[in-house]
Amino acid sequence: MSAPSFAVTYTVKDEARLLPDAIKWHRALGCKRFYIFLDGTSDAMRDWLPRQPDVMVRESVPPAEVRDAPGFMKVMGKGWDGYIDARKNLNSWVAARLALLDGIDWLAMIDPDELLLPDPKAGPDPAAMVRLLGEQTPDIAQLLLPNCDVLPDGKAGTSPFAQRHFQARFPALEAVWRPARKALSLVSNPARVARFDQWFWDRALGDDLPRRLVHPVNGETIPAGYFLSYTSHKSILRTRAHRGWRPIIHHWKCEDGEGETAKTRRARVLHFDFTTADAYLHKFGQRRGNREERPQHFAARRAIGDIALDCSDAGARRFFEQCLAVSDPERMAQLVKRGVVLDLPQVAAFFDREGEAL
């Protein structure tokens, strides 16, 4: 039996800063093909991507083009004109169909600022990726990988991905926090939910809570808990199951298909959300026409985005340096010692050595 193969799909807008290195990492991991959909891209990637032999590149797929999609096509096409997530979902479904036709077994639906890490003790090890996918029983249609957000240390690397510190995950604490937060969100407003997040994680971690947010202009505290980004996972789908599954941003939902979802024990998705002040300003600058950033769920995230959009560049950069990064080496070392931060030096080393295997 041949080793399981995998591909990656992206929907991107002006990600020249990230895509070449993201592709480099996943090539080293054994990725067979990249299905990349341009969503308003105007940067150098329009010229660079078509020259890559393992890349399929095209514009976002319009709903009218997909005539053989299953019954939930109307759901995926709804909001296509106004929301990138709707376009991303449709693009991902098309990518899964193309990957199946290309003989590829699994498809990872991730963003350009994310890296798959099948073994936290290694770098981009293709053998580890083969083991991860090969150990899945035939009834598993989707594999969920928890995300770990970068915790920038304020140092400039050779690549946006040349980072070594990431927030750990706490399954037992999250099992208490999630249902309580969800229940509160049904009966209260986002600001109160944010204050609950602050209260919960203050008591859970105390002085080990890595970051506290203060507005750079008015000096007011911005309530925020442990997570400043999404708090769940990304997925890898078995391509032969795709017709009965619907992509919904971070994972796939089984509609009328077959197969089960499994969660990984070791593998992770590393999320390079805020790596530098420039990256922070770029990320939210792209979203000037789509400011909501899920405000009904995450008031702290909305506040972080508003600071990037509304404050001066100097004020936003000061906010990044003082509130989003942990630039004190002793503080970072203490967080690593306490198990709040994962130290993964092999990630930075891969890019600092220009992609050479360790």
Side-chain angles (χ1 to χ4, degrees):
M1 181 180 295
S2 60
S5 57
F6 81 99
V8 171
T9 184
Y10 301 116
T11 294
V12 302
K13 178 182 179 181
D14 295 338
E15 295 290 5
R17 185 181 63 88
L18 296 170
L19 266 179
D21 279 354
I23 289 174
K24 179 190 296 184
W25 174 276
H26 290 105
R27 279 175 177 159
L29 197 57
C31 182
K32 297 300 183 184
R33 194 147 177 79
F34 298 88
Y35 301 93
I36 301 179
F37 300 85
L38 305 180
D39 198 73
T41 288
S42 60
D43 64 16
M45 290 297 93
R46 282 194 170 276
D47 297 324
W48 185 80
L49 287 170
R51 299 198 299 268
Q52 307 307 305
D54 53 356
V55 171
M56 182 233 73
V57 58
R58 59 155 296 171
E59 305 296 321
S60 283
V61 181
E65 183 178 315
V66 188
R67 301 182 182 279
D68 62 339
F72 52 75
M73 179 63 229
K74 291 183 178 179
V75 177
M76 286 199 292
K78 186 177 181 181
W80 188 91
D81 290 324
Y83 296 97
I84 186 174
D85 285 339
R87 298 190 293 275
K88 177 182 176 181
N89 291 344
L90 181 54
N91 293 340
S92 298
W93 190 90
V94 171
R97 179 181 64 182
L98 293 174
L100 179 64
L101 293 174
D102 288 339
I104 295 172
D105 301 307
W106 296 84
L107 178 72
M109 181 177 68
I110 57 177
D111 292 328
D113 63 352
E114 295 170 329
L115 301 179
L116 300 174
L117 185 66
D119 185 352
K121 293 184 178 180
D125 179 4
M129 194 68 183
V130 167
R131 286 194 299 272
L132 173 67
L133 300 177
E135 67 188 11
Q136 305 308 313
T137 57
D139 63 309
I140 300 301
Q142 177 179 221
L143 192 59
L144 298 183
L145 286 69
N147 71 289
C148 290
D149 285 333
V150 68
L151 188 62
D153 56 17
K155 298 177 183 177
T158 57
S159 160
F161 297 109
Q163 305 281 332
R164 62 182 293 167
H165 297 110
F166 302 85
Q167 291 182 219
R169 296 295 297 266
F170 299 98
L173 288 172
E174 292 175 41
V176 177
W177 170 69
R178 290 181 189 279
R181 187 181 198 276
K182 183 176 181 180
L184 181 61
S185 68
L186 295 175
V187 299
S188 193
N189 59 50
R192 288 186 177 180
V193 175
R195 287 194 290 271
F196 168 75
D197 290 343
Q198 183 84 60
W199 175 87
F200 181 92
W201 291 103
D202 261 338
R203 278 146 188 79
L205 298 180
D207 291 339
D208 292 331
L209 187 63
R211 298 179 281 196
R212 299 180 187 275
L213 308 185
V214 178
H215 197 283
V217 175
N218 59 33
E220 294 182 356
T221 297
I222 301 170
Y226 181 62
F227 297 100
L228 301 185
S229 183
Y230 66 86
T231 64
S232 52
H233 47 253
K234 286 295 180 76
S235 79
I236 307 177
L237 184 80
R238 199 186 293 267
T239 57
R240 62 175 169 77
H242 82 280
R243 287 196 63 85
W245 291 67
R246 174 166 61 91
I248 49 175
I249 305 177
H250 294 314
H251 63 284
W252 295 66
K253 179 179 180 182
C254 186
E255 297 283 348
D256 55 1
E258 298 180 351
E260 303 295 330
T261 293
K263 294 183 178 180
T264 65
R265 293 184 178 181
R266 292 177 52 79
R268 295 290 184 266
V269 172
L270 303 181
H271 184 207
F272 296 77
D273 194 15
F274 309 126
T275 54
T276 65
D278 285 340
Y280 165 53
L281 290 170
H282 173 77
K283 181 163 190 164
F284 285 98
Q286 288 184 321
R287 302 174 181 183
R288 192 168 295 277
N290 186 19
R291 293 173 59 100
E292 76 283 353
E293 275 294 294
R294 297 171 66 89
Q296 68 273 28
H297 299 303
F298 214 161
R301 183 74 171 185
R302 171 63 183 266
I304 291 170
D306 283 347
I307 289 169
L309 292 172
D310 298 335
C311 293
S312 67
D313 279 4
R317 289 176 185 278
R318 185 169 64 253
F319 174 73
F320 174 86
E321 293 165 0
Q322 296 178 353
C323 298
L324 298 181
V326 177
S327 56
D328 180 356
E330 293 185 3
R331 167 73 169 157
M332 187 71 84
Q334 178 68 12
L335 293 173
V336 171
K337 182 178 180 180
R338 299 280 292 173
V340 177
V341 171
L342 305 176
D343 187 6
L344 303 175
Q346 69 272 24
V347 178
F350 176 84
F351 293 102
D352 283 339
R353 297 177 185 178
E354 298 181 344
E356 294 179 3
L358 298 180

